[in-house]
Amino acid sequence: IAPASIYYTGKDRDRLLSNSLTISLAAGLIISAFILTFLKSVSGFMELSPFLVVVMIAHSLATVGVQWALAKFAYDKNAKLIFAYSITICVSSIALSLLLIEWLLKDHPPYVGYILGHAVPYIIAGVLFFIYFLLKGRSFFWKEAWKFCLPLCLPRVFHILSTSVLRQSA
């Protein structure tokens, strides 16, 4: 976001950011497809149900969108949006976790309700942020943007995905 903001302004910046997010999403989907191809093996290795592995994948992808939005809001000095997001996610995650653990998933181990309660708000927010930024830029393949973004984005995608996997498995 910072390098893009130095070299691009206005609609070109939005276009470049949309392309950069497209690269991140494409990389995440490729990694997710690989994991889903070997879902049974990954599930066995992680000692998690296939359902929870799928939730983890969705949460990881959504986290890319959320982290992207928070970084952009921070760079643009939009503290009010960051604060609103943080409060909303915090309250909704706790409330949903309690609802799932206490009432909706009583027949399941409590950790399932906790995981879903924290993943669902992130997934919703991530999808909404992806849609917002992709529609705002309205550009998914601009050769100049991809040349600019690839060296910057790919390492970040792997870092965010690996961090999310690490958080989920701790």
Side-chain angles (χ1 to χ4, degrees):
I1 293 169
S5 299
I6 292 169
Y7 296 103
Y8 298 90
T9 59
K11 291 187 186 244
D12 281 343
R13 178 181 179 234
D14 291 338
R15 260 179 87 193
L16 184 114
L17 294 178
S18 176
N19 276 265
S20 180
L21 199 55
T22 300
I23 294 168
S24 299
L25 183 59
L29 290 173
I30 290 168
I31 293 167
S32 298
F34 179 77
I35 293 169
L36 289 173
T37 301
F38 302 102
L39 182 60
K40 220 172 198 179
S41 299
V42 171
S43 173
F45 175 76
M46 297 178 82
E47 298 180 5
L48 293 172
S49 70
F51 172 73
L52 288 179
V53 173
V54 171
V55 169
M56 184 173 60
I57 291 169
H59 184 251
S60 297
L61 285 170
T63 299
V64 173
V66 168
Q67 292 299 321
W68 180 265
L70 293 177
K72 184 179 182 308
F73 296 154
Y75 187 82
D76 292 345
K77 296 176 180 61
N78 199 335
K80 290 178 183 176
L81 272 177
I82 294 171
F83 178 74
Y85 165 80
S86 298
I87 294 296
T88 303
I89 285 294
C90 181
V91 170
S92 63
S93 293
I94 292 169
L96 186 57
S97 290
L98 289 172
L99 178 72
L100 290 169
I101 291 168
E102 295 296 324
W103 290 291
L104 299 178
L105 297 175
K106 279 187 164 187
D107 298 338
H108 294 83
Y111 69 86
V112 174
Y114 176 83
I115 290 170
L116 289 175
H118 281 77
V120 168
Y122 266 93
I123 292 168
I124 292 169
V127 167
L128 292 176
F129 285 137
F130 268 118
I131 291 169
Y132 172 75
F133 288 115
L134 291 174
L135 289 178
K136 186 175 180 187
R138 295 190 187 275
S139 176
F140 310 107
F141 184 75
W142 177 27
K143 189 175 181 179
E144 180 183 332
W146 280 57
K147 280 180 162 179
F148 182 84
C149 295
L150 276 174
L152 300 172
C153 289
L154 285 179
R156 179 99 171 119
V157 168
F158 292 113
H159 171 73
I160 290 171
L161 287 173
S162 64
T163 301
S164 184
V165 168
L166 182 62
R167 283 185 194 149
Q168 293 290 333
S169 61

